[in-house]
Amino acid sequence: MTKLLITRNLPEEVLKAAKAVADVTVREDQSPMSVQEAAEMLQAYDVILPTLGDQFSAAAFGVAPNPRCKMLANFGVGYNHINVSAAQKAGVSVSNTPGAVTDATADIAMSLILMSCRRLGEGERMVRASAWDGWHPTQLLGMHIGGKTLGIIGMGRIGKAIARRAAAGFGMNVIFYNRSTVDAPEHGTQMPEISQVLGASDVVVLAVPATPQTHRLMNAERFAQMQSHAHLINIARGDVVDEAALVDALQSGQIAGAGLDVYEREPIVSEALLQMENVALLPHLGTAALEVRVDMGLMAVRNVAAHINGTALPNPVLP
Ligand SMILES: NC(=O)C1=CN([C@@H]2O[C@H](COP(=O)(O)OP(=O)(O)OC[C@H]3O[C@@H](n4cnc5c(N)ncnc54)[C@H](O)[C@@H]3O)[C@@H](O)[C@H]2O)C=CC1
Ligand SMILES: O=C(O)C(=O)CO
């Protein structure tokens, strides 16, 4: 029977489905796999079901150039922790879980928009500190999002789901920047330059994948293009933002606030961000709902089953 390693514990329903198709080992450690461990596991298992942070880098495939493992069925849509070209060269196919994550992640983007613009974290901290002296008309005044301009960087599945919520649900005007032309978008107007989106938006949301092209896409120069009352929201990946430049932009008042679900060095969050009242910080909660994690897991298992049966992968990732 195919030996399958699942690198982090998953909901029971997913483990049951996996055990129906393979001989399953669940790794007990909750931390991401190092390059060394990834290389060792590539030699020990036929299929691996990894997740974010597991270091299937070029170096891991360098240590294991002709691995026993022939498939990585990633749990998650983002696969920036896997070097897909190196995997392909080593004869390892890769799949991911697009779609299963979309709505939940867009919901967290909207939550962060509201948390940042309406100062929800500050308010909650005030109540918990027993520092609230009662309602008054000028207390904790934030920015109303209705009628404001939302700029989305990366108009893919999640970007479109955010646009739908923001436009249809909250009455925001949506503009966006995307690498390729988006034909007939349901909501929003595509701008040819990212600077046009940054300059015109009251709120900017990052929804691009982490790639060499998007690495530190938000740098000091780009923060300088944003309006001083604007907020930056990142639900993509931490390395899409130069975190030091973000701290500078917040401290100097170049932008008004930020809402972050992802960080450059997860789970480490910079001390400067932790100290700032105008930053909403979530621990990578984008898909953290039981139904969503079950859908993601079952999708990954369907890819494993297809690999075992020798049929086309439903969700292949290509270099
Ligand atoms: N916070 C969380 O828990 C989650 C984060 N994510 C992140 O969100 C990312 C996006 O997911 P999806 O929307 O499903 O992906 P997608 O592939 O549907 O959308 C990405 C969009 O970004 C565009 N894009 C790519 N490179 C670009 C560039 N250099 N400049 C401008 N646009 C560019 C693509 O054309 C595409 O339209 C994932 O790769 C993942 O890293 C995904 C799920 C949960
Ligand atoms: O699917 C992804 O890429 C994630 O970040 C999981 O939350």
Side-chain angles (χ1 to χ4, degrees):
M1 204 175 191
T2 302
K3 267 174 73 75
L4 167 66
L5 174 68
I6 298 181
T7 70
R8 240 62 72 75
N9 195 25
L10 296 179
E12 206 45 52
E13 194 178 335
V14 178
L15 296 180
K16 199 170 154 213
K19 285 173 186 165
V21 299
D23 170 13
V24 173
T25 302
V26 181
R27 181 172 167 268
E28 284 181 9
D29 196 341
Q30 288 298 329
S31 61
M33 288 165 71
S34 65
V35 172
Q36 188 55 39
E37 188 182 358
E40 284 167 19
M41 295 306 114
L42 283 169
Q43 298 295 22
Y45 288 88
D46 301 308
V47 176
I48 300 176
L49 197 154
T51 192
L52 55 98
D54 290 334
Q55 294 296 310
F56 288 94
S57 60
F61 291 102
V63 178
N66 184 20
R68 168 178 176 171
C69 175
K70 296 293 174 230
M71 191 208 183
L72 297 178
N74 189 54
F75 180 83
V77 73
Y79 52 85
N80 52 307
H81 53 287
I82 300 174
N83 188 314
V84 179
S85 308
Q88 196 182 48
K89 275 198 204 103
V92 180
S93 51
V94 180
S95 66
N96 69 344
T97 60
V101 301
T102 301
D103 283 329
T105 311
D107 290 346
I108 288 296
M110 292 312 301
S111 306
L112 281 169
I113 292 172
L114 288 167
M115 285 180 77
S116 189
C117 296
R118 296 292 304 277
R119 305 175 64 177
L120 303 185
E122 273 180 87
E124 214 223 10
R125 285 189 289 277
M126 180 194 276
V127 173
R128 284 185 186 275
S130 302
W132 185 39
D133 60 357
W135 186 91
H136 52 90
T138 56
Q139 186 177 60
L140 280 179
L141 299 187
M143 180 176 81
H144 181 59
I145 64 170
K148 297 295 192 305
T149 298
L150 174 67
I152 300 176
I153 311 296
M155 198 60 153
R157 288 172 292 254
I158 296 173
K160 285 175 186 156
I162 296 168
R164 196 176 312 124
R165 283 159 175 72
F170 290 87
M172 299 186 83
N173 309 310
V174 177
I175 58 177
F176 65 91
Y177 173 76
N178 196 70
R179 182 183 49 181
S180 50
T181 303
V182 177
D183 292 324
E186 192 189 350
H187 297 285
T189 304
Q190 185 158 10
M191 300 287 177
E193 301 295 337
I194 191 168
S195 57
Q196 293 172 293
V197 173
L198 298 178
S201 299
D202 303 299
V203 183
V204 173
V205 179
L206 304 175
V208 284
T211 65
Q213 292 72 40
T214 61
H215 182 72
R216 296 194 166 171
L217 175 104
M218 285 308 297
N219 54 23
E221 192 189 330
R222 295 242 160 88
F223 284 118
Q225 292 166 350
M226 288 176 66
Q227 307 192 73
S228 59
H229 68 269
H231 295 246
L232 178 83
I233 309 300
N234 187 12
I235 53 84
R237 281 290 184 267
D239 53 358
V240 176
V241 174
D242 178 341
E243 224 164 81
L246 171 64
V247 168
D248 286 347
L250 287 161
Q251 282 175 342
S252 65
Q254 202 151 50
I255 67 170
L260 308 175
D261 190 40
V262 288
Y263 306 86
E264 265 190 331
R265 294 172 301 138
E266 290 179 19
I268 298 166
V269 178
S270 85
E271 195 54 37
L273 289 173
L274 291 172
Q275 297 307 324
M276 279 185 242
E277 280 291 357
N278 56 339
V279 182
L281 303 167
L282 296 181
H284 203 142
L285 288 184
T287 58
L290 178 61
E291 301 88 330
V292 178
R293 295 279 162 85
V294 168
D295 283 354
M296 291 164 69
L298 295 179
M299 196 174 219
V301 170
R302 281 197 293 279
N303 282 276
V304 172
H307 169 79
I308 292 170
N309 296 332
T311 57
L313 301 184
N315 310 101
V317 171
L318 302 170

PDB file of all heavy atoms in Angstrom, residues 51-52 74-81 96-98 100-102 105 158 235-237 261-262 266 284-288 292-293 296, ligand 2:
ATOM      1  N   THR A  51       2.202  21.040   4.173  1.00  0.00           N
ATOM      2  CA  THR A  51       1.449  22.285   4.249  1.00  0.00           C
ATOM      3  C   THR A  51       2.409  23.456   4.430  1.00  0.00           C
ATOM      4  O   THR A  51       3.628  23.284   4.347  1.00  0.00           O
ATOM      5  CB  THR A  51       0.356  22.226   5.329  1.00  0.00           C
ATOM      6  OG1 THR A  51      -0.510  23.354   5.158  1.00  0.00           O
ATOM      7  CG2 THR A  51       0.940  22.226   6.740  1.00  0.00           C
ATOM      8  N   LEU A  52       1.837  24.651   4.649  1.00  0.00           N
ATOM      9  CA  LEU A  52       2.662  25.855   4.538  1.00  0.00           C
ATOM     10  C   LEU A  52       3.836  25.832   5.508  1.00  0.00           C
ATOM     11  O   LEU A  52       3.711  25.371   6.634  1.00  0.00           O
ATOM     12  CB  LEU A  52       1.819  27.118   4.676  1.00  0.00           C
ATOM     13  CG  LEU A  52       0.932  27.347   5.887  1.00  0.00           C
ATOM     14  CD1 LEU A  52       1.631  28.238   6.889  1.00  0.00           C
ATOM     15  CD2 LEU A  52      -0.368  27.965   5.441  1.00  0.00           C
ATOM     16  N   ASN A  74      -0.191  19.309  -1.680  1.00  0.00           N
ATOM     17  CA  ASN A  74      -0.147  20.386  -0.682  1.00  0.00           C
ATOM     18  C   ASN A  74      -1.521  20.700  -0.101  1.00  0.00           C
ATOM     19  O   ASN A  74      -2.515  20.781  -0.826  1.00  0.00           O
ATOM     20  CB  ASN A  74       0.445  21.655  -1.311  1.00  0.00           C
ATOM     21  CG  ASN A  74       0.718  22.703  -0.267  1.00  0.00           C
ATOM     22  OD1 ASN A  74       1.406  22.431   0.717  1.00  0.00           O
ATOM     23  ND2 ASN A  74       0.164  23.887  -0.438  1.00  0.00           N
ATOM     24  N   PHE A  75      -1.545  20.890   1.208  1.00  0.00           N
ATOM     25  CA  PHE A  75      -2.746  21.324   1.937  1.00  0.00           C
ATOM     26  C   PHE A  75      -2.686  22.840   1.974  1.00  0.00           C
ATOM     27  O   PHE A  75      -1.969  23.429   2.779  1.00  0.00           O
ATOM     28  CB  PHE A  75      -2.700  20.719   3.348  1.00  0.00           C
ATOM     29  CG  PHE A  75      -3.868  21.059   4.227  1.00  0.00           C
ATOM     30  CD1 PHE A  75      -5.050  20.345   4.149  1.00  0.00           C
ATOM     31  CD2 PHE A  75      -3.777  22.076   5.176  1.00  0.00           C
ATOM     32  CE1 PHE A  75      -6.131  20.645   4.993  1.00  0.00           C
ATOM     33  CE2 PHE A  75      -4.852  22.378   6.016  1.00  0.00           C
ATOM     34  CZ  PHE A  75      -6.022  21.654   5.916  1.00  0.00           C
ATOM     35  N   GLY A  76      -3.411  23.491   1.065  1.00  0.00           N
ATOM     36  CA  GLY A  76      -3.361  24.947   0.946  1.00  0.00           C
ATOM     37  C   GLY A  76      -3.223  25.318  -0.519  1.00  0.00           C
ATOM     38  O   GLY A  76      -2.735  24.516  -1.326  1.00  0.00           O
ATOM     39  N   VAL A  77      -3.664  26.537  -0.842  1.00  0.00           N
ATOM     40  CA  VAL A  77      -3.527  26.979  -2.239  1.00  0.00           C
ATOM     41  C   VAL A  77      -2.128  27.543  -2.490  1.00  0.00           C
ATOM     42  O   VAL A  77      -1.549  27.357  -3.553  1.00  0.00           O
ATOM     43  CB  VAL A  77      -4.644  27.989  -2.622  1.00  0.00           C
ATOM     44  CG1 VAL A  77      -4.443  29.351  -1.987  1.00  0.00           C
ATOM     45  CG2 VAL A  77      -4.743  28.141  -4.126  1.00  0.00           C
ATOM     46  N   GLY A  78      -1.571  28.231  -1.489  1.00  0.00           N
ATOM     47  CA  GLY A  78      -0.247  28.840  -1.652  1.00  0.00           C
ATOM     48  C   GLY A  78       0.826  27.774  -1.524  1.00  0.00           C
ATOM     49  O   GLY A  78       0.814  26.977  -0.582  1.00  0.00           O
ATOM     50  N   TYR A  79       1.740  27.748  -2.466  1.00  0.00           N
ATOM     51  CA  TYR A  79       2.766  26.686  -2.467  1.00  0.00           C
ATOM     52  C   TYR A  79       4.175  27.272  -2.570  1.00  0.00           C
ATOM     53  O   TYR A  79       5.089  26.651  -3.107  1.00  0.00           O
ATOM     54  CB  TYR A  79       2.499  25.674  -3.596  1.00  0.00           C
ATOM     55  CG  TYR A  79       2.311  26.309  -4.951  1.00  0.00           C
ATOM     56  CD1 TYR A  79       3.405  26.616  -5.753  1.00  0.00           C
ATOM     57  CD2 TYR A  79       1.048  26.614  -5.416  1.00  0.00           C
ATOM     58  CE1 TYR A  79       3.234  27.212  -6.983  1.00  0.00           C
ATOM     59  CE2 TYR A  79       0.858  27.217  -6.652  1.00  0.00           C
ATOM     60  CZ  TYR A  79       1.946  27.508  -7.423  1.00  0.00           C
ATOM     61  OH  TYR A  79       1.788  28.121  -8.639  1.00  0.00           O
ATOM     62  N   ASN A  80       4.352  28.470  -1.995  1.00  0.00           N
ATOM     63  CA  ASN A  80       5.655  29.136  -2.068  1.00  0.00           C
ATOM     64  C   ASN A  80       6.733  28.431  -1.245  1.00  0.00           C
ATOM     65  O   ASN A  80       7.908  28.744  -1.379  1.00  0.00           O
ATOM     66  CB  ASN A  80       5.532  30.596  -1.641  1.00  0.00           C
ATOM     67  CG  ASN A  80       4.854  30.742  -0.292  1.00  0.00           C
ATOM     68  OD1 ASN A  80       3.761  30.216  -0.074  1.00  0.00           O
ATOM     69  ND2 ASN A  80       5.491  31.429   0.617  1.00  0.00           N
ATOM     70  N   HIS A  81       6.341  27.452  -0.421  1.00  0.00           N
ATOM     71  CA  HIS A  81       7.315  26.665   0.348  1.00  0.00           C
ATOM     72  C   HIS A  81       7.797  25.446  -0.433  1.00  0.00           C
ATOM     73  O   HIS A  81       8.594  24.671   0.081  1.00  0.00           O
ATOM     74  CB  HIS A  81       6.681  26.227   1.676  1.00  0.00           C
ATOM     75  CG  HIS A  81       5.361  25.524   1.475  1.00  0.00           C
ATOM     76  ND1 HIS A  81       4.220  26.198   1.107  1.00  0.00           N
ATOM     77  CD2 HIS A  81       5.020  24.223   1.536  1.00  0.00           C
ATOM     78  CE1 HIS A  81       3.228  25.335   0.971  1.00  0.00           C
ATOM     79  NE2 HIS A  81       3.682  24.133   1.214  1.00  0.00           N
ATOM     80  N   ASN A  96      -2.390  21.342  -5.317  1.00  0.00           N
ATOM     81  CA  ASN A  96      -2.773  22.257  -4.219  1.00  0.00           C
ATOM     82  C   ASN A  96      -4.294  22.265  -4.060  1.00  0.00           C
ATOM     83  O   ASN A  96      -4.974  21.400  -4.643  1.00  0.00           O
ATOM     84  CB  ASN A  96      -2.181  23.655  -4.450  1.00  0.00           C
ATOM     85  CG  ASN A  96      -2.807  24.378  -5.630  1.00  0.00           C
ATOM     86  OD1 ASN A  96      -3.481  23.773  -6.472  1.00  0.00           O
ATOM     87  ND2 ASN A  96      -2.581  25.670  -5.711  1.00  0.00           N
ATOM     88  N   THR A  97      -4.821  23.208  -3.269  1.00  0.00           N
ATOM     89  CA  THR A  97      -6.255  23.184  -2.960  1.00  0.00           C
ATOM     90  C   THR A  97      -6.936  24.519  -3.312  1.00  0.00           C
ATOM     91  O   THR A  97      -7.464  25.210  -2.428  1.00  0.00           O
ATOM     92  CB  THR A  97      -6.487  22.865  -1.466  1.00  0.00           C
ATOM     93  OG1 THR A  97      -5.851  23.883  -0.673  1.00  0.00           O
ATOM     94  CG2 THR A  97      -5.916  21.518  -1.087  1.00  0.00           C
ATOM     95  N   PRO A  98      -6.955  24.889  -4.592  1.00  0.00           N
ATOM     96  CA  PRO A  98      -7.586  26.161  -4.976  1.00  0.00           C
ATOM     97  C   PRO A  98      -9.096  26.113  -4.758  1.00  0.00           C
ATOM     98  O   PRO A  98      -9.710  25.056  -4.841  1.00  0.00           O
ATOM     99  CB  PRO A  98      -7.257  26.270  -6.470  1.00  0.00           C
ATOM    100  CG  PRO A  98      -7.074  24.854  -6.920  1.00  0.00           C
ATOM    101  CD  PRO A  98      -6.468  24.138  -5.748  1.00  0.00           C
ATOM    102  N   ALA A 100     -11.142  25.924  -2.383  1.00  0.00           N
ATOM    103  CA  ALA A 100     -11.607  25.550  -1.033  1.00  0.00           C
ATOM    104  C   ALA A 100     -11.325  26.660  -0.024  1.00  0.00           C
ATOM    105  O   ALA A 100     -12.014  26.778   0.988  1.00  0.00           O
ATOM    106  CB  ALA A 100     -10.922  24.251  -0.594  1.00  0.00           C
ATOM    107  N   VAL A 101     -10.312  27.459  -0.301  1.00  0.00           N
ATOM    108  CA  VAL A 101      -9.868  28.478   0.662  1.00  0.00           C
ATOM    109  C   VAL A 101     -10.476  29.864   0.405  1.00  0.00           C
ATOM    110  O   VAL A 101     -10.333  30.769   1.234  1.00  0.00           O
ATOM    111  CB  VAL A 101      -8.318  28.638   0.579  1.00  0.00           C
ATOM    112  CG1 VAL A 101      -7.613  27.330   0.864  1.00  0.00           C
ATOM    113  CG2 VAL A 101      -7.882  29.181  -0.782  1.00  0.00           C
ATOM    114  N   THR A 102     -11.117  30.036  -0.752  1.00  0.00           N
ATOM    115  CA  THR A 102     -11.388  31.382  -1.272  1.00  0.00           C
ATOM    116  C   THR A 102     -12.283  32.233  -0.366  1.00  0.00           C
ATOM    117  O   THR A 102     -11.914  33.337   0.044  1.00  0.00           O
ATOM    118  CB  THR A 102     -12.005  31.278  -2.686  1.00  0.00           C
ATOM    119  OG1 THR A 102     -11.081  30.575  -3.511  1.00  0.00           O
ATOM    120  CG2 THR A 102     -12.287  32.647  -3.280  1.00  0.00           C
ATOM    121  N   THR A 105     -10.993  33.075   3.214  1.00  0.00           N
ATOM    122  CA  THR A 105      -9.886  34.034   3.223  1.00  0.00           C
ATOM    123  C   THR A 105     -10.391  35.444   2.894  1.00  0.00           C
ATOM    124  O   THR A 105      -9.949  36.434   3.491  1.00  0.00           O
ATOM    125  CB  THR A 105      -8.784  33.584   2.249  1.00  0.00           C
ATOM    126  OG1 THR A 105      -8.484  32.218   2.501  1.00  0.00           O
ATOM    127  CG2 THR A 105      -7.521  34.405   2.419  1.00  0.00           C
ATOM    128  N   ILE A 158      -9.307  34.807  -4.732  1.00  0.00           N
ATOM    129  CA  ILE A 158      -9.566  35.502  -3.467  1.00  0.00           C
ATOM    130  C   ILE A 158      -9.818  36.991  -3.714  1.00  0.00           C
ATOM    131  O   ILE A 158     -10.734  37.579  -3.142  1.00  0.00           O
ATOM    132  CB  ILE A 158      -8.400  35.272  -2.475  1.00  0.00           C
ATOM    133  CG1 ILE A 158      -8.308  33.780  -2.119  1.00  0.00           C
ATOM    134  CG2 ILE A 158      -8.577  36.109  -1.210  1.00  0.00           C
ATOM    135  CD1 ILE A 158      -7.093  33.390  -1.286  1.00  0.00           C
ATOM    136  N   ILE A 235      -3.434  39.602   3.295  1.00  0.00           N
ATOM    137  CA  ILE A 235      -3.871  38.228   3.570  1.00  0.00           C
ATOM    138  C   ILE A 235      -3.122  37.266   2.648  1.00  0.00           C
ATOM    139  O   ILE A 235      -3.467  36.085   2.570  1.00  0.00           O
ATOM    140  CB  ILE A 235      -5.399  38.035   3.398  1.00  0.00           C
ATOM    141  CG1 ILE A 235      -5.883  38.514   2.032  1.00  0.00           C
ATOM    142  CG2 ILE A 235      -6.162  38.747   4.502  1.00  0.00           C
ATOM    143  CD1 ILE A 235      -5.761  37.591   0.908  1.00  0.00           C
ATOM    144  N   ALA A 236      -2.101  37.763   1.924  1.00  0.00           N
ATOM    145  CA  ALA A 236      -1.429  36.944   0.908  1.00  0.00           C
ATOM    146  C   ALA A 236      -0.335  36.088   1.550  1.00  0.00           C
ATOM    147  O   ALA A 236      -0.596  34.982   2.039  1.00  0.00           O
ATOM    148  CB  ALA A 236      -0.881  37.847  -0.190  1.00  0.00           C
ATOM    149  N   ARG A 237       0.865  36.606   1.562  1.00  0.00           N
ATOM    150  CA  ARG A 237       1.983  35.982   2.253  1.00  0.00           C
ATOM    151  C   ARG A 237       2.851  37.099   2.812  1.00  0.00           C
ATOM    152  O   ARG A 237       2.942  38.180   2.209  1.00  0.00           O
ATOM    153  CB  ARG A 237       2.821  35.112   1.299  1.00  0.00           C
ATOM    154  CG  ARG A 237       2.242  33.751   0.989  1.00  0.00           C
ATOM    155  CD  ARG A 237       2.280  32.809   2.190  1.00  0.00           C
ATOM    156  NE  ARG A 237       1.809  31.470   1.864  1.00  0.00           N
ATOM    157  CZ  ARG A 237       0.541  31.063   2.014  1.00  0.00           C
ATOM    158  NH1 ARG A 237      -0.379  31.889   2.462  1.00  0.00           N
ATOM    159  NH2 ARG A 237       0.209  29.811   1.714  1.00  0.00           N
ATOM    160  N   ASP A 261      -2.625  39.307   8.310  1.00  0.00           N
ATOM    161  CA  ASP A 261      -2.886  37.901   8.667  1.00  0.00           C
ATOM    162  C   ASP A 261      -1.617  37.075   8.505  1.00  0.00           C
ATOM    163  O   ASP A 261      -1.543  35.959   9.005  1.00  0.00           O
ATOM    164  CB  ASP A 261      -3.992  37.344   7.751  1.00  0.00           C
ATOM    165  CG  ASP A 261      -4.497  35.986   8.212  1.00  0.00           C
ATOM    166  OD1 ASP A 261      -4.638  35.788   9.439  1.00  0.00           O
ATOM    167  OD2 ASP A 261      -4.760  35.111   7.358  1.00  0.00           O
ATOM    168  N   VAL A 262      -0.634  37.642   7.802  1.00  0.00           N
ATOM    169  CA  VAL A 262       0.585  36.897   7.449  1.00  0.00           C
ATOM    170  C   VAL A 262       1.811  37.774   7.665  1.00  0.00           C
ATOM    171  O   VAL A 262       1.714  39.007   7.600  1.00  0.00           O
ATOM    172  CB  VAL A 262       0.503  36.423   5.972  1.00  0.00           C
ATOM    173  CG1 VAL A 262      -0.499  35.291   5.810  1.00  0.00           C
ATOM    174  CG2 VAL A 262       0.151  37.574   5.044  1.00  0.00           C
ATOM    175  N   GLU A 266       6.910  34.132  10.033  1.00  0.00           N
ATOM    176  CA  GLU A 266       5.919  33.479  10.909  1.00  0.00           C
ATOM    177  C   GLU A 266       6.560  32.364  11.712  1.00  0.00           C
ATOM    178  O   GLU A 266       7.357  31.611  11.150  1.00  0.00           O
ATOM    179  CB  GLU A 266       4.778  32.903  10.048  1.00  0.00           C
ATOM    180  CG  GLU A 266       3.916  33.996   9.453  1.00  0.00           C
ATOM    181  CD  GLU A 266       2.781  33.470   8.574  1.00  0.00           C
ATOM    182  OE1 GLU A 266       2.426  32.276   8.681  1.00  0.00           O
ATOM    183  OE2 GLU A 266       2.278  34.265   7.770  1.00  0.00           O
ATOM    184  N   HIS A 284      -2.498  34.199  11.008  1.00  0.00           N
ATOM    185  CA  HIS A 284      -2.722  33.434   9.772  1.00  0.00           C
ATOM    186  C   HIS A 284      -4.026  32.610   9.859  1.00  0.00           C
ATOM    187  O   HIS A 284      -4.013  31.383   9.802  1.00  0.00           O
ATOM    188  CB  HIS A 284      -1.524  32.525   9.472  1.00  0.00           C
ATOM    189  CG  HIS A 284      -1.412  32.156   8.018  1.00  0.00           C
ATOM    190  ND1 HIS A 284      -0.226  32.057   7.344  1.00  0.00           N
ATOM    191  CD2 HIS A 284      -2.363  31.839   7.103  1.00  0.00           C
ATOM    192  CE1 HIS A 284      -0.432  31.702   6.089  1.00  0.00           C
ATOM    193  NE2 HIS A 284      -1.732  31.560   5.914  1.00  0.00           N
ATOM    194  N   LEU A 285      -5.132  33.344  10.024  1.00  0.00           N
ATOM    195  CA  LEU A 285      -6.443  32.703  10.246  1.00  0.00           C
ATOM    196  C   LEU A 285      -7.261  32.529   8.971  1.00  0.00           C
ATOM    197  O   LEU A 285      -8.398  32.064   9.038  1.00  0.00           O
ATOM    198  CB  LEU A 285      -7.277  33.554  11.219  1.00  0.00           C
ATOM    199  CG  LEU A 285      -6.875  33.573  12.686  1.00  0.00           C
ATOM    200  CD1 LEU A 285      -7.887  34.402  13.493  1.00  0.00           C
ATOM    201  CD2 LEU A 285      -6.832  32.154  13.255  1.00  0.00           C
ATOM    202  N   GLY A 286      -6.700  32.945   7.818  1.00  0.00           N
ATOM    203  CA  GLY A 286      -7.478  32.971   6.563  1.00  0.00           C
ATOM    204  C   GLY A 286      -8.443  31.812   6.386  1.00  0.00           C
ATOM    205  O   GLY A 286      -9.623  32.008   6.080  1.00  0.00           O
ATOM    206  N   THR A 287      -7.962  30.589   6.574  1.00  0.00           N
ATOM    207  CA  THR A 287      -8.815  29.420   6.297  1.00  0.00           C
ATOM    208  C   THR A 287      -9.212  28.681   7.575  1.00  0.00           C
ATOM    209  O   THR A 287      -9.658  27.528   7.510  1.00  0.00           O
ATOM    210  CB  THR A 287      -8.071  28.443   5.371  1.00  0.00           C
ATOM    211  OG1 THR A 287      -6.836  28.060   6.015  1.00  0.00           O
ATOM    212  CG2 THR A 287      -7.767  29.051   4.027  1.00  0.00           C
ATOM    213  N   ALA A 288      -9.057  29.342   8.715  1.00  0.00           N
ATOM    214  CA  ALA A 288      -9.243  28.642   9.982  1.00  0.00           C
ATOM    215  C   ALA A 288     -10.712  28.467  10.350  1.00  0.00           C
ATOM    216  O   ALA A 288     -11.235  29.120  11.246  1.00  0.00           O
ATOM    217  CB  ALA A 288      -8.484  29.366  11.097  1.00  0.00           C
ATOM    218  N   VAL A 292     -13.805  24.484   6.241  1.00  0.00           N
ATOM    219  CA  VAL A 292     -12.838  24.852   5.197  1.00  0.00           C
ATOM    220  C   VAL A 292     -11.631  23.912   5.243  1.00  0.00           C
ATOM    221  O   VAL A 292     -11.165  23.412   4.211  1.00  0.00           O
ATOM    222  CB  VAL A 292     -12.409  26.329   5.379  1.00  0.00           C
ATOM    223  CG1 VAL A 292     -11.369  26.717   4.352  1.00  0.00           C
ATOM    224  CG2 VAL A 292     -13.627  27.234   5.298  1.00  0.00           C
ATOM    225  N   ARG A 293     -11.143  23.659   6.456  1.00  0.00           N
ATOM    226  CA  ARG A 293      -9.987  22.764   6.580  1.00  0.00           C
ATOM    227  C   ARG A 293     -10.359  21.345   6.141  1.00  0.00           C
ATOM    228  O   ARG A 293      -9.522  20.620   5.594  1.00  0.00           O
ATOM    229  CB  ARG A 293      -9.456  22.794   8.010  1.00  0.00           C
ATOM    230  CG  ARG A 293      -8.885  24.165   8.405  1.00  0.00           C
ATOM    231  CD  ARG A 293      -7.463  24.348   7.891  1.00  0.00           C
ATOM    232  NE  ARG A 293      -7.039  25.735   7.878  1.00  0.00           N
ATOM    233  CZ  ARG A 293      -6.508  26.400   8.924  1.00  0.00           C
ATOM    234  NH1 ARG A 293      -6.361  25.799  10.090  1.00  0.00           N
ATOM    235  NH2 ARG A 293      -6.129  27.641   8.780  1.00  0.00           N
ATOM    236  N   MET A 296     -10.384  21.507   2.310  1.00  0.00           N
ATOM    237  CA  MET A 296      -8.997  21.544   1.810  1.00  0.00           C
ATOM    238  C   MET A 296      -8.376  20.146   1.879  1.00  0.00           C
ATOM    239  O   MET A 296      -7.732  19.679   0.939  1.00  0.00           O
ATOM    240  CB  MET A 296      -8.147  22.511   2.658  1.00  0.00           C
ATOM    241  CG  MET A 296      -8.509  23.972   2.487  1.00  0.00           C
ATOM    242  SD  MET A 296      -7.820  24.997   3.833  1.00  0.00           S
ATOM    243  CE  MET A 296      -6.068  24.929   3.479  1.00  0.00           C
TER     244      MET A 296
HETATM  245  O1  LIG B   2      -4.126  28.009   1.468  1.00  0.00           O
HETATM  246  C1  LIG B   2      -3.188  28.743   1.830  1.00  0.00           C
HETATM  247  O2  LIG B   2      -2.345  29.181   1.040  1.00  0.00           O
HETATM  248  C2  LIG B   2      -3.091  29.133   3.225  1.00  0.00           C
HETATM  249  O3  LIG B   2      -2.439  30.086   3.546  1.00  0.00           O
HETATM  250  C3  LIG B   2      -3.830  28.316   4.216  1.00  0.00           C
HETATM  251  O4  LIG B   2      -4.466  29.095   5.147  1.00  0.00           O
END
